[in-house]
Amino acid sequence: MKRRHLLSAAAASALAGVPLGARAQAYPTKPITVIVPFAAGGPTDALARILCQRMSEVLGQQLVVENVGGAGGTIGVAKAARATPDGYTLLFAHMGTLAVNIALYKQLPYDSQKDLEPVGLGGTNPMVLVVRKDLPARNLGEFVAYVKENQKKAQYGMAGIGAASHLGGLMLNSMMKVDVLEVPYKGTGPALNDLVSGQFDYMVDQAVNVLPQIQAGNIRALGVSTLKRLPQLPDVPTIDEAGLKGYEVTIWNGFFAPRGTSKEIVARLNQALVTALGDEKIRTRLTELAVEVPLPQEATPDALRSQLKASIDKWVPTVRAAGVKPQ
Ligand code: MLT
């Protein structure tokens, strides 16, 4: 037997003698890749990086974010679902790419309930309807009138079919009964830069991304997507109270591993996540960005599994009823 084979045989037999629990305790022994299926600088990326930084300290190994944007997040999710289930490739993604887009694609390259192991919820985000600074409409009523009058030239930004910004925009457009041109991006990070420079008219995006630009006066907020106003934007009405009754969209984001990842590894990752979510500095930072921080019982793998199913049950029929044709 060649020396290399002798070594791997010796390593295998040594490992065979080690109970699974002890092997998981050794995990992780090298950096972990966390796939974010959207461009850098957007909401999914921002939330992933805040949590990964603290989780890296807890696990004693770096969690390295890899942005794999495109096709509304489906390219990145498919890459994570196909990765080796050894705990060294994870996914941080939201309910758009995992639940809503089941209604929007004829054929998805993954089954979010079968191909992924839930690790834990990272946070739930309200959305905000934001418009370019010089759009003439000053409130939601004027906005609806403006978009109706300008249907041929009005444009809204979004991060691809099935993105959160797509869901937010299509529910809004469906309630306004308008058909408006979509401007797709690999993420709402780059889309936001273009809204600030006035290259399209509006976007519905997660507060975590848009709050700093609203507060700096570079874009204007006309409504929030929750049924309660946000403490960070007390003067901005909810879209529901401002006239589009029943409009309500919030976006959850969570960590997942490829199917087949061991329970021990999932538990270790979950424990790191729950520690990060309990950290006072992280909680303060997330709360400033309007992220609803999950309680430990809301951040378990089983809670995330149930949340995924509930989102599929709620949004797939809702989006189908809005008349959007799958592609
Ligand atoms: C979305 O619209 O799905 C997100 O904002 C994408 C992103 O994180 O950039």
Side-chain angles (χ1 to χ4, degrees), residues 38-39 42-45 94 158-159 162-166 186-189 205-206:
F38 291 101
T44 320
D45 181 69
H94 60 50
M158 42 79 102
S165 45
H166 183 219
K186 284 194 174 170
T188 50
D205 191 21
Q206 295 169 71

Side-chain angles (χ1 to χ4, degrees), residues 8-196:
S8 55
S13 80
L15 207 56
V18 180
L20 254 185
R23 267 190 255 164
Q25 263 168 29
Y27 167 86
T29 57
K30 61 178 187 181
I32 299 167
T33 298
V34 178
I35 294 179
V36 163
F38 291 101
T44 320
D45 181 69
L47 194 48
R49 284 176 199 271
I50 292 171
L51 293 171
C52 284
Q53 193 184 353
R54 184 69 185 104
M55 288 168 73
S56 300
E57 290 166 9
V58 177
L59 291 167
Q61 286 290 341
Q62 281 302 310
L63 269 69
V64 182
V65 168
E66 182 188 347
N67 298 93
V68 183
T74 56
I75 295 173
V77 177
K79 183 172 179 184
R82 283 195 299 264
T84 307
D86 58 2
Y88 291 100
T89 306
L90 306 178
L91 170 72
F92 187 74
H94 60 50
M95 59 178 235
T97 51
L98 300 172
V100 177
N101 66 6
I102 294 171
L104 296 168
Y105 288 82
K106 281 190 191 134
Q107 230 174 357
L108 273 175
Y110 51 83
D111 179 327
S112 55
Q113 289 180 289
K114 289 193 183 140
D115 298 341
L116 297 167
E117 297 284 350
V119 171
L121 186 67
T124 303
N125 299 336
M127 302 188 92
V128 188
L129 164 62
V130 283
V131 299
R132 64 180 158 83
K133 202 165 61 177
D134 55 355
L135 194 94
R138 308 309 295 180
N139 55 45
L140 190 76
E142 289 178 14
F143 172 78
V144 174
Y146 176 87
V147 177
K148 282 190 166 176
E149 271 162 35
N150 292 279
Q151 273 194 65
K152 287 216 171 70
K153 59 173 194 183
Q155 300 187 343
Y156 86 99
M158 42 79 102
I161 304 295
S165 45
H166 183 219
L167 175 67
L170 77 83
M171 294 318 292
L172 187 78
N173 293 341
S174 145
M175 289 177 90
M176 292 196 289
K177 300 191 176 45
V178 294
D179 189 12
V180 177
L181 196 68
E182 289 163 356
V183 188
Y185 289 84
K186 284 194 174 170
T188 50
L192 184 59
N193 293 337
D194 278 4
L195 184 64
V196 168

Side-chain angles (χ1 to χ4, degrees), residues 126 207 211 215 229-236 286-291:
L211 274 176
Q215 283 154 351
R229 291 190 183 202
L230 304 182
Q232 295 80 357
L233 298 171
D235 299 331
V236 178
L286 293 178
T287 307
E288 277 166 8
L289 292 167
V291 179

